[in-house]
Amino acid sequence: MKKIVLLLLVSFLFISCWPTTDNGEFTRQEYKPVIIARSALESSIAFQNAQPVIKSGKIYIKDDLMFVNDVNKGFHVYDYADPKNPIRMHFIKAPGATDLAIRDNTMYINQAVDLVTATYNPATKKFLVTNRNRNVFPQKQAPNGLYGYTKENEIIIDWTLIK
């Protein structure tokens, strides 16, 4: 009897977590991978003019600079000398990027499956990619936890919801 009650309870909990529409119908979210060729990924990082933030992620502060991740797009760079008035300066385009670590003037960027090393000199405003370690990270997972399939030399940089 206890096993049956436990089984019913677990089943109820599982069903209650399933996504539904407003009218109570069960839904299933499906995602499509955004894929680019390895060669395109390796030449995709670019230092650009400031842009508006679309989907903000993690925030990093280094000295008088603030870096705001635009999830899977890159990093917005702000002058943060006056925290009450950050000034938008640049955008580092890095498709598939979600994370950043900084030590001295060296940045370590998680760009999809690669770990990219770059330097940034705020005085000269020079940004330079100095190294790329390929396939350090696994392919990006969909928001629903599934994985996509790619051919050799294809990289998933994002996922889009299929409507």
Side-chain angles (χ1 to χ4, degrees):
M1 181 68 174
K2 287 182 182 179
K3 288 181 181 180
I4 293 173
V5 172
L6 182 61
L7 182 61
L8 288 173
L9 180 62
V10 170
S11 298
F12 176 73
L13 289 173
F14 177 71
I15 290 172
S16 68
C17 295
W18 199 268
T20 60
T21 60
D22 290 340
N23 63 5
E25 295 176 5
F26 289 110
T27 63
R28 187 171 144 212
Q29 292 183 325
E30 294 186 31
Y31 295 88
K32 175 182 166 190
V34 177
I35 298 172
I36 66 171
R38 160 131 327 263
S39 58
L41 179 77
E42 292 185 5
S43 62
S44 66
I45 296 181
F47 198 63
Q48 301 177 336
N49 292 329
Q51 300 176 14
V53 176
I54 305 297
K55 183 180 178 187
S56 65
K58 296 179 181 179
I59 298 171
Y60 311 86
I61 297 175
K62 169 73 169 115
D63 301 327
D64 288 341
L65 295 175
M66 178 172 65
F67 297 83
V68 177
N69 177 235
D70 205 329
V71 179
N72 294 320
K73 306 286 184 246
F75 300 91
H76 300 273
V77 183
Y78 292 82
D79 179 336
Y80 200 63
D82 178 4
K84 292 181 182 179
N85 186 30
I87 300 167
R88 193 179 311 175
M89 296 170 49
H90 310 287
F91 180 68
I92 301 170
K93 177 185 165 193
T98 56
D99 215 343
L100 173 76
I102 304 170
R103 185 170 190 175
D104 299 324
N105 284 341
T106 304
M107 295 186 293
Y108 303 91
I109 301 170
N110 172 347
Q111 186 190 22
V113 297
D114 293 352
L115 177 62
V116 177
T117 306
T119 57
Y120 175 65
N121 185 331
T124 62
K125 296 182 176 141
K126 292 205 178 202
F127 176 83
L128 178 66
V129 173
T130 58
N131 192 36
R132 176 178 294 272
N133 293 304
R134 293 171 185 84
N135 302 313
V136 172
F137 307 106
Q139 288 277 13
K140 288 185 174 291
Q141 215 175 323
N144 62 2
L146 298 177
Y147 288 93
Y149 297 97
T150 58
K151 297 176 186 169
E152 189 175 343
N153 292 318
E154 288 184 337
I155 310 295
I156 298 172
I157 58 168
D158 203 352
W159 288 85
T160 56
L161 182 62
I162 299 172
K163 294 183 183 185

